[in-house]
CSV table of all heavy atoms in Angstrom, one decimal:
chain,number,residue,atom,x,y,z
A,384,ARG,N,2.2,-77.4,-2.5
A,384,ARG,CA,1.0,-78.1,-2.0
A,384,ARG,C,0.0,-77.1,-1.5
A,384,ARG,O,0.4,-76.0,-1.0
A,384,ARG,CB,1.4,-79.1,-0.9
A,384,ARG,CG,2.3,-80.2,-1.3
A,384,ARG,CD,2.7,-81.1,-0.2
A,384,ARG,NE,3.3,-80.3,0.9
A,384,ARG,CZ,3.4,-80.8,2.2
A,384,ARG,NH1,3.0,-81.9,2.5
A,384,ARG,NH2,4.0,-80.0,3.0
A,385,LEU,N,-1.2,-77.5,-1.5
A,385,LEU,CA,-2.3,-76.7,-0.9
A,385,LEU,C,-2.9,-77.4,0.2
A,385,LEU,O,-3.2,-78.6,0.1
A,385,LEU,CB,-3.4,-76.3,-2.0
A,385,LEU,CG,-3.0,-75.3,-3.0
A,385,LEU,CD1,-4.2,-75.1,-4.0
A,385,LEU,CD2,-2.7,-73.9,-2.4
A,386,ASP,N,-3.1,-76.8,1.3
A,386,ASP,CA,-3.8,-77.4,2.5
A,386,ASP,C,-5.3,-77.6,2.0
A,386,ASP,O,-5.9,-76.7,1.5
A,386,ASP,CB,-3.8,-76.5,3.7
A,386,ASP,CG,-4.6,-77.0,4.8
A,386,ASP,OD1,-4.2,-77.9,5.5
A,386,ASP,OD2,-5.8,-76.5,5.0
A,387,PRO,N,-5.9,-78.8,2.3
A,387,PRO,CA,-7.2,-79.1,1.8
A,387,PRO,C,-8.3,-78.1,2.3
A,387,PRO,O,-9.2,-77.7,1.6
A,387,PRO,CB,-7.5,-80.5,2.3
A,387,PRO,CG,-6.1,-81.1,2.4
A,387,PRO,CD,-5.2,-80.0,2.9
A,388,GLN,N,-8.2,-77.7,3.6
A,388,GLN,CA,-9.2,-76.8,4.1
A,388,GLN,C,-9.0,-75.4,3.5
A,388,GLN,O,-10.0,-74.7,3.2
A,388,GLN,CB,-9.1,-76.8,5.6
A,388,GLN,CG,-9.6,-78.1,6.3
A,388,GLN,CD,-9.9,-77.9,7.7
A,388,GLN,OE1,-10.4,-76.8,8.2
A,388,GLN,NE2,-9.6,-78.9,8.5
A,389,VAL,N,-7.8,-74.9,3.4
A,389,VAL,CA,-7.5,-73.6,2.7
A,389,VAL,C,-8.1,-73.7,1.3
A,389,VAL,O,-8.8,-72.7,0.9
A,389,VAL,CB,-6.0,-73.3,2.8
A,389,VAL,CG1,-5.8,-72.0,1.9
A,389,VAL,CG2,-5.5,-73.1,4.2
A,390,ALA,N,-7.8,-74.8,0.6
A,390,ALA,CA,-8.3,-74.9,-0.8
A,390,ALA,C,-9.8,-74.9,-0.8
A,390,ALA,O,-10.4,-74.3,-1.7
A,390,ALA,CB,-7.7,-76.2,-1.4
A,391,HIS,N,-10.4,-75.6,0.1
A,391,HIS,CA,-11.9,-75.6,0.2
A,391,HIS,C,-12.5,-74.2,0.3
A,391,HIS,O,-13.4,-73.9,-0.5
A,391,HIS,CB,-12.4,-76.5,1.3
A,391,HIS,CG,-13.8,-76.5,1.6
A,391,HIS,ND1,-14.7,-77.3,0.9
A,391,HIS,CD2,-14.6,-75.7,2.4
A,391,HIS,CE1,-15.9,-77.0,1.3
A,391,HIS,NE2,-15.9,-76.1,2.2
A,392,TYR,N,-12.0,-73.4,1.2
A,392,TYR,CA,-12.7,-72.1,1.4
A,392,TYR,C,-12.3,-71.1,0.3
A,392,TYR,O,-13.1,-70.2,0.0
A,392,TYR,CB,-12.3,-71.6,2.8
A,392,TYR,CG,-13.0,-72.4,3.9
A,392,TYR,CD1,-12.3,-73.1,4.8
A,392,TYR,CD2,-14.4,-72.4,4.0
A,392,TYR,CE1,-13.0,-73.9,5.8
A,392,TYR,CE2,-15.1,-73.1,4.9
A,392,TYR,CZ,-14.4,-73.8,5.8
A,392,TYR,OH,-15.0,-74.6,6.8
A,393,ARG,N,-11.1,-71.3,-0.3
A,393,ARG,CA,-10.8,-70.5,-1.5
A,393,ARG,C,-11.7,-70.9,-2.7
A,393,ARG,O,-12.0,-70.0,-3.5
A,393,ARG,CB,-9.3,-70.6,-1.8
A,393,ARG,CG,-8.5,-70.0,-0.6
A,393,ARG,CD,-7.0,-69.9,-1.0
A,393,ARG,NE,-6.9,-68.8,-2.0
A,393,ARG,CZ,-5.8,-68.1,-2.2
A,393,ARG,NH1,-4.8,-68.3,-1.3
A,393,ARG,NH2,-5.7,-67.2,-3.1
A,394,GLN,N,-12.0,-72.1,-2.8
A,394,GLN,CA,-13.0,-72.5,-3.8
A,394,GLN,C,-14.4,-72.0,-3.5
A,394,GLN,O,-15.1,-71.6,-4.5
A,394,GLN,CB,-13.1,-74.1,-3.9
A,394,GLN,CG,-12.0,-74.7,-4.8
A,394,GLN,CD,-12.3,-76.2,-5.1
A,394,GLN,OE1,-12.6,-77.0,-4.2
A,394,GLN,NE2,-12.4,-76.5,-6.4
A,395,GLU,N,-14.8,-71.9,-2.3
A,395,GLU,CA,-16.0,-71.3,-1.9
A,395,GLU,C,-16.0,-69.8,-2.3
A,395,GLU,O,-17.0,-69.3,-2.8
A,395,GLU,CB,-16.3,-71.4,-0.4
A,395,GLU,CG,-16.7,-72.8,0.0
A,395,GLU,CD,-18.2,-73.1,-0.1
A,395,GLU,OE1,-18.9,-72.4,-0.8
A,395,GLU,OE2,-18.6,-74.0,0.6
A,396,GLU,N,-14.9,-69.1,-2.1
A,396,GLU,CA,-14.8,-67.7,-2.5
A,396,GLU,C,-14.9,-67.6,-4.1
A,396,GLU,O,-15.5,-66.7,-4.6
A,396,GLU,CB,-13.5,-67.2,-2.0
A,396,GLU,CG,-13.1,-65.8,-2.6
A,396,GLU,CD,-14.1,-64.7,-2.3
A,396,GLU,OE1,-14.8,-64.8,-1.3
A,396,GLU,OE2,-14.3,-63.8,-3.1
A,397,GLU,N,-14.2,-68.5,-4.8
A,397,GLU,CA,-14.3,-68.5,-6.2
A,397,GLU,C,-15.7,-68.8,-6.7
A,397,GLU,O,-16.2,-68.2,-7.7
A,397,GLU,CB,-13.4,-69.6,-6.8
A,397,GLU,CG,-13.3,-69.5,-8.3
A,397,GLU,CD,-12.4,-70.6,-8.9
A,397,GLU,OE1,-11.7,-71.3,-8.1
A,397,GLU,OE2,-12.3,-70.7,-10.1
A,398,LEU,N,-16.4,-69.7,-6.0
A,398,LEU,CA,-17.9,-69.9,-6.3
A,398,LEU,C,-18.7,-68.7,-6.2
A,398,LEU,O,-19.5,-68.3,-7.1
A,398,LEU,CB,-18.4,-71.0,-5.4
A,398,LEU,CG,-19.9,-71.3,-5.4
A,398,LEU,CD1,-20.4,-71.6,-6.8
A,398,LEU,CD2,-20.3,-72.3,-4.4
A,399,HIS,N,-18.5,-67.9,-5.1
A,399,HIS,CA,-19.3,-66.7,-4.9
A,399,HIS,C,-18.9,-65.7,-6.0
A,399,HIS,O,-19.8,-65.1,-6.6
A,399,HIS,CB,-18.9,-66.1,-3.6
A,399,HIS,CG,-19.4,-64.7,-3.4
A,399,HIS,ND1,-20.7,-64.3,-3.1
A,399,HIS,CD2,-18.7,-63.5,-3.5
A,399,HIS,CE1,-20.8,-63.0,-3.1
A,399,HIS,NE2,-19.6,-62.5,-3.2
A,400,ARG,N,-17.6,-65.5,-6.3
A,400,ARG,CA,-17.2,-64.5,-7.3
A,400,ARG,C,-17.8,-64.9,-8.7
A,400,ARG,O,-18.3,-64.1,-9.5
A,400,ARG,CB,-15.7,-64.4,-7.3
A,400,ARG,CG,-15.1,-63.4,-8.3
A,400,ARG,CD,-13.6,-63.2,-8.1
A,400,ARG,NE,-12.9,-64.5,-8.4
A,400,ARG,CZ,-12.4,-65.2,-7.4
A,400,ARG,NH1,-12.4,-64.8,-6.2
A,400,ARG,NH2,-11.7,-66.3,-7.8
A,401,THR,N,-17.6,-66.2,-9.1
A,401,THR,CA,-18.1,-66.7,-10.4
A,401,THR,C,-19.6,-66.5,-10.5
A,401,THR,O,-20.1,-66.1,-11.6
A,401,THR,CB,-17.7,-68.1,-10.6
A,401,THR,OG1,-16.3,-68.3,-10.5
A,401,THR,CG2,-18.2,-68.7,-11.9
A,402,PHE,N,-20.3,-66.8,-9.5
A,402,PHE,CA,-21.8,-66.7,-9.5
A,402,PHE,C,-22.2,-65.2,-9.7
A,402,PHE,O,-23.1,-64.9,-10.5
A,402,PHE,CB,-22.5,-67.3,-8.3
A,402,PHE,CG,-24.0,-67.3,-8.4
A,402,PHE,CD1,-24.6,-68.3,-9.2
A,402,PHE,CD2,-24.7,-66.3,-7.9
A,402,PHE,CE1,-26.0,-68.3,-9.3
A,402,PHE,CE2,-26.1,-66.3,-8.0
A,402,PHE,CZ,-26.7,-67.3,-8.7
Side-chain angles (χ1 to χ4, degrees):
R384 298 176 302 162
L385 287 177
D386 175 78
Q388 291 197 35
V389 172
H391 172 83
Y392 288 114
R393 295 190 68 150
Q394 274 193 306
E395 288 272 18
E396 169 61 28
E397 186 182 355
L398 168 59
H399 167 77
R400 183 174 59 252
T401 301
F402 187 81

